[in-house]
Amino acid sequence: MTDKQIITTPISNEDISNLKIGDVIYLTGMLATCRDDGHRRVVESNRFPDFDLKGMSILHAGPIVKTIPGAGYEMISIGPTTSRRMEAYESEFIEKTGVKIVIGKGGMGAKTAAACKAFNALHCVFPGGCAVTAATEVEEIVGLEWADFGMPEAFWIMRVKNFGPLIVSIDTKGHNLFELNKIEFEKKKELALKNLLPHVHYSHG
Amino acid sequence: MPHKKLESIISSLLEVTAIKLPTDVYASLQKMRAEETQTLACELYSCIFDNLDKAELLHRPLCQDTGVLQFFIRAGAHFPHLDILEESIFTATKLATESVPLRHNTVECFTEKNTGNNTGKLSPWIEWEIIPGDDLHIDVYMAGGGCSLPGRSKVLMPLEGYEGVAKFVFDTIVDWGVNACPPLVVGVGIGTCAATAAILSKKALLRKVGSVNANPQAADMERMIKEGLDSIGIGPLGLTGTKSVQCVNIEFAGHHPATLAVGVTVGCWATRRGSIDISADLASYAITSHS
Ligand code: SF4
């Protein structure tokens, strides 16, 4: 790919307001991991990480990190986790933190789409499972917070370069790629079943 | 020292399984990539293969979620080290967690604390089968979170028939499969109760991609469900494409006339399973899942 569309943190509203669902972007700058426990802590307990998320991006991910004695941490493997698990909390999380890009895998629901529209944010997907590629796009782990959650759930702060491909799944207008796909999938499922069912009537006769 | 020997054999199986895809899954993804025509889907297949290359080159787990480990043992009734096998599996798991490294996944129930070494109560999970002979066969499966989420089983009324079974599979895949890193390996189990249908669906997942069911009707149903799912065009990572799944495998058991239970378990594009044959004296072993 020749003309990679690169978004750099801190992210302004203008940087992302023209992006549409299905667009492919790459991220350069600061990215923090935050998943189930981190979302619960922010939303339910109103506790925030020291690292200010305003204009930044988060990744729904639980990485494998190696501790290098005396030299910090090395990112071994990091890939997105299922975003749908965070659906109940994400809209409030976006509102409270001012985060601009939420990255994960699979789609998110109507509540998150509404928050993306209201607060000018994006949900993007990184190709699930491509965790070594992602790790090689992490330049450095610059911080660790909430280590009490354990390795996968902790809040790892990373500097990344050309992190992607990221496919925009919810844009700042609130359009939702996965929801639209789902409608198509449902239609095709009904058709497929209609064709299939007459052929699987196995019985004693 | 049979302990040490078994531990190191099993931990080397875990290492290969975390870093490389089994030969059949790799070949099936290559085929799907070659047959894909949509632009974004082609790009996503490129990401997948680029990631597989990097994992092998850097000798790292190909997906960060190395799962909770599940072992399916077929042990010869005369295999001489049955008494230490379970302990060896637990130790090997701890060793591999450090050395590969594997992600710390296992959390204990109720305290919800991560044990930090991938062992815990009944974790790794072990299924036993005793077979004639004196050697040992182990299949290990790395049950990732994302790909375990869609799994479910249900007891149908018999009159819902195989139509009900097919519908249950389609609903499960379209509702939840999209987020489980497709193209999926779909395991379907049919039996008497929720538990047997579920375990059979897991065993179906352990069958090779591309293997044909010995029962002709089951083989037909596998093919037809696969074609139907493919026509939905879920594509790699659920972002649409020309196909949906790597395969549909069905395993089944004679069932009660008043019930027809169905279970679905899926594996992601990164279906990591490893198989090994170990001789009775532990002097030789062969990893049969990977070339
Ligand atoms: S579903 Fe599979 S490929 Fe995707 S993140 Fe989970 S384990 Fe990895």
Side-chain angles (χ1 to χ4, degrees), chain B residues 32 35-36 45 226 229-230 233-236 240-245:
Chain B
M32 292 187 80
E35 289 168 0
E36 184 57 67
Y45 277 118
K226 178 181 180 333
L229 288 172
D230 277 343
I234 292 172
T240 69
T242 50
K243 296 256 166 76
S244 301
V245 298

Side-chain angles (χ1 to χ4, degrees), chain A residues 62 105 128-129 132 189 201, chain B residues 51 60 62 103 163 171 179 269:
Chain A
K105 115 180 167 186
V132 188
K189 181 186 86 177
H201 188 71
Chain B
N51 183 70
R60 291 183 184 180
L62 63 97
R103 193 172 76 181
E163 292 91 331
D171 287 345
N179 291 334
W269 70 257

Side-chain angles (χ1 to χ4, degrees), chain B:
Chain B
M1 289 283 282
H3 274 91
K4 287 259 167 310
K5 188 87 209 197
L6 253 182
E7 285 157 15
S8 95
I9 294 173
I10 296 168
S11 115
S12 66
L13 174 68
L14 295 178
E15 181 173 338
V16 175
T17 308
I19 291 169
K20 281 179 73 173
L21 286 183
T23 314
D24 59 310
V25 176
Y26 190 87
S28 103
L29 289 175
Q30 269 183 322
K31 186 160 174 278
M32 292 187 80
R33 181 191 197 181
E35 289 168 0
E36 184 57 67
T37 55
Q38 298 185 18
T39 317
L40 180 58
C42 288
E43 201 181 313
L44 292 169
Y45 277 118
S46 297
C47 290
I48 288 175
F49 278 92
D50 180 50
N51 183 70
L52 290 173
D53 290 346
K54 286 199 170 105
E56 216 178 320
L57 192 75
L58 298 171
H59 207 69
R60 291 183 184 180
L62 63 97
C63 172
Q64 83 290 344
D65 188 353
T66 45
V68 161
L69 299 181
Q70 302 176 335
F71 288 85
F72 299 82
I73 303 208
R74 276 168 300 134
H78 302 291
F79 178 70
H81 307 292
L82 281 176
D83 54 338
I84 60 163
L85 186 51
E86 183 169 335
E87 197 188 326
S88 300
I89 285 174
F90 274 66
T91 310
T93 300
K94 290 180 194 162
L95 289 174
T97 299
E98 278 283 312
S99 64
V100 178
L102 306 178
R103 193 172 76 181
H104 303 169
N105 271 332
T106 305
V107 276
E108 287 291 14
C109 283
F110 301 112
T111 64
E112 292 302 305
K113 279 231 160 64
N114 195 310
T115 64
N117 61 18
N118 283 319
T119 68
K121 181 177 162 61
L122 294 179
S123 184
W125 183 263
I126 304 176
E127 294 275 335
W128 293 87
E129 214 176 292
I130 301 296
I131 57 174
D134 67 357
D135 49 9
L136 177 69
H137 311 272
I138 300 177
D139 291 321
V140 65
Y141 178 78
M142 297 188 160
C147 45
S148 295
L149 267 179
R152 51 185 186 158
S153 66
K154 188 183 178 192
V155 186
L156 305 176
M157 305 283 185
L159 287 181
E160 290 177 76
Y162 291 80
E163 292 91 331
V165 169
K167 202 169 169 307
F168 185 80
V169 177
F170 275 71
D171 287 345
T172 305
I173 301 303
V174 174
D175 264 2
W176 281 99
V178 174
N179 291 334
C181 294
L184 304 177
V185 177
V186 181
V188 180
I190 303 174
T192 292
C193 63
T196 51
I199 189 69
L200 285 166
S201 73
K202 180 46 102 24
K203 294 206 165 154
L205 190 63
L206 296 176
R207 235 178 71 204
K208 283 203 168 117
V209 179
S211 60
V212 179
N213 205 306
N215 177 301
Q217 283 171 308
D220 264 357
M221 187 151 167
E222 287 175 353
R223 183 184 46 77
M224 288 188 291
I225 293 181
K226 178 181 180 333
E227 285 171 6
L229 288 172
D230 277 343
S231 74
I232 298 170
I234 292 172
L237 286 329
L239 285 160
T240 69
T242 50
K243 296 256 166 76
S244 301
V245 298
Q246 299 192 50
C247 69
V248 176
N249 291 344
I250 303 178
E251 292 294 314
F252 49 94
H255 67 96
H256 194 286
T259 65
L260 183 65
V262 51
V264 176
T265 301
V266 305
C268 47
W269 70 257
T271 294
R272 281 146 300 159
R273 75 171 126 61
S275 309
I276 194 167
D277 295 343
I278 305 173
S279 66
D281 58 4
L282 309 183
S284 65
Y285 64 90
I287 294 177
T288 55
S289 48
H290 292 70
S291 52

Side-chain angles (χ1 to χ4, degrees), chain A:
Chain A
M1 286 215 314
T2 42
D3 49 346
K4 275 188 181 173
Q5 176 141 221
I6 296 164
I7 304 288
T8 310
T9 63
I11 304 157
S12 67
N13 286 343
E14 297 72 56
D15 289 340
I16 54 173
S17 55
N18 286 331
L19 292 170
K20 287 194 230 21
I21 50 172
D23 285 352
V24 178
I25 58 170
Y26 292 78
L27 182 82
T28 291
M30 305 306 287
L31 174 65
T33 62
C34 190
R35 43 184 267 170
D36 312 64
D37 289 348
H39 278 73
R40 192 176 296 135
R41 188 165 277 183
V42 167
V43 172
E44 283 183 4
S45 314
N46 252 315
R47 285 173 59 190
F48 296 88
D50 293 334
F51 175 75
D52 188 3
L53 283 169
K54 196 160 183 296
M56 295 296 159
S57 53
I58 59 161
L59 177 62
H60 296 149
I64 304 177
V65 178
K66 202 170 193 167
T67 310
I68 315 288
Y73 304 101
E74 187 191 358
M75 187 56 74
I76 299 293
S77 192
I78 181 167
T81 194
T82 310
S83 290
R84 193 155 145 180
R85 290 205 315 272
M86 268 55 78
E87 176 62 17
Y89 291 115
E90 203 63 74
S91 61
E92 244 181 281
F93 189 94
I94 292 171
E95 182 175 3
K96 285 184 167 174
T97 60
V99 71
K100 282 288 159 202
I101 304 186
V102 174
I103 304 167
K105 115 180 167 186
M108 296 197 73
K111 254 180 93 180
T112 303
C116 286
K117 190 173 173 189
F119 305 108
N120 247 289
L122 298 178
H123 177 258
C124 297
V125 296
F126 184 92
C130 294
V132 188
T133 299
T136 59
E137 293 166 354
V138 174
E139 288 191 311
E140 196 192 350
I141 297 179
V142 296
L144 164 64
E145 296 190 45
W146 296 349
D148 55 311
F149 289 149
M151 187 201 285
E153 294 281 344
F155 190 87
W156 297 93
I157 306 153
M158 306 169 286
R159 201 179 58 241
V160 298
K161 189 163 184 204
N162 294 351
F163 188 85
L166 306 174
I167 299 102
V168 178
S169 100
I170 300 176
D171 62 23
T172 56
K173 310 281 181 304
H175 299 134
N176 190 333
L177 180 64
F178 278 86
E179 287 302 310
L180 292 174
N181 285 345
K182 211 175 152 196
I183 296 169
E184 270 309 292
F185 293 159
E186 277 298 329
K187 270 196 227 150
K188 290 185 181 162
K189 181 186 86 177
E190 289 312 321
L191 186 67
L193 279 171
K194 210 173 129 217
N195 292 332
L196 172 70
L197 294 186
H199 301 286
V200 295
H201 188 71
Y202 303 109
S203 77
H204 188 49

